[in-house]
Amino acid sequence: MQLRLDELMDKLGVGRILNPYETHPWSYYDAAKGITCSAEVRMGMDGDEIEAEAQMVYDAPPEGKPPMEQICFIRAKPSGEGRWDSVLFRVRGQPYGEDKYNWQEKCCLFFSLLAQSLQMNEIPDVDALLEEAFRGRNRGGDQRGGGGGKSPKIQAAQLLNKPKGGSF
């Protein structure tokens, strides 16, 4: 993926370059569900490492879950010539997506979608966001090819005619 630092920060949803020791946090508490979800992006003390992390904290944990659950963890490091690259992505403590095409960018997209949910005062649906980021129903995701290689047959006149019955 190799991005400039400002591009990486944008992809993670921060929107600016962090200084060493600095963090950019998001958090939302849903009183009805008794869940707090928090996320943050932080710059390491020497400015040579970026970590992004999200966690859920439960007032009353569901059966079999601890009171605090790490949702995801991303580590990025400089890769040379002013570029940065994601080197680690974990979901619920396990490596995730490294077998997927362009996983480094997709893990940043996932984190950004999670941060957007928190900004909209929503507890994120982690599995749905993973599906959107890594399989990208609306973005093409990992799907290759598709329609047999033929161009659709559209008459130029069809594109120029106004639709009947009012407006678009």
Side-chain angles (χ1 to χ4, degrees):
M1 174 176 80
Q2 298 197 356
L3 300 169
R4 292 187 325 261
L5 183 55
D6 62 324
E7 294 172 323
L8 177 60
M9 289 292 157
D10 285 345
K11 288 198 178 287
L12 290 170
V14 175
R16 64 186 180 82
I17 295 175
L18 298 176
N19 294 311
Y21 283 114
E22 189 176 6
T23 65
H24 188 92
W26 298 267
S27 186
Y28 174 67
Y29 175 66
D30 186 326
K33 294 180 181 177
I35 302 173
T36 301
C37 183
S38 60
E40 75 175 16
V41 175
R42 56 188 172 261
M43 176 66 80
M45 66 180 189
D46 294 323
D48 64 351
E49 184 174 79
I50 296 167
E51 294 179 341
E53 180 178 20
Q55 60 190 13
M56 299 274 194
V57 179
Y58 302 96
D59 291 349
E63 185 70 33
K65 285 196 175 191
M68 193 277 298
E69 175 185 26
Q70 185 183 54
I71 298 303
C72 74
F73 179 80
I74 299 170
R75 177 174 289 132
K77 292 189 170 260
S79 59
E81 298 180 24
R83 301 287 183 167
W84 287 71
D85 206 3
S86 299
V87 295
L88 176 69
F89 180 49
R90 293 186 171 275
V91 174
R92 297 180 181 113
Q94 300 299 314
Y96 188 90
E98 292 177 3
D99 59 338
K100 306 281 189 214
Y101 171 75
N102 202 14
W103 70 268
Q104 296 95 338
E105 189 163 342
K106 292 175 183 180
C107 74
C108 293
L109 174 59
F110 166 75
F111 190 86
S112 177
L113 292 169
L114 189 140
Q116 288 173 27
S117 293
L118 296 175
Q119 289 174 319
M120 293 186 299
N121 295 328
E122 297 174 354
I123 296 294
D125 181 337
V126 174
D127 294 324
L129 296 180
L130 281 169
E131 178 75 21
E132 184 174 344
F134 278 81
R135 294 183 188 51
R137 284 176 247 157
N138 297 330
R139 291 175 174 68
D142 286 338
Q143 298 167 16
R144 310 223 195 294
K150 292 186 178 182
S151 298
K153 293 184 172 136
I154 298 175
Q155 303 293 327
Q158 288 176 309
L159 298 173
L160 300 174
N161 290 337
K162 288 174 63 175
K164 295 179 182 175
S167 64
F168 285 53

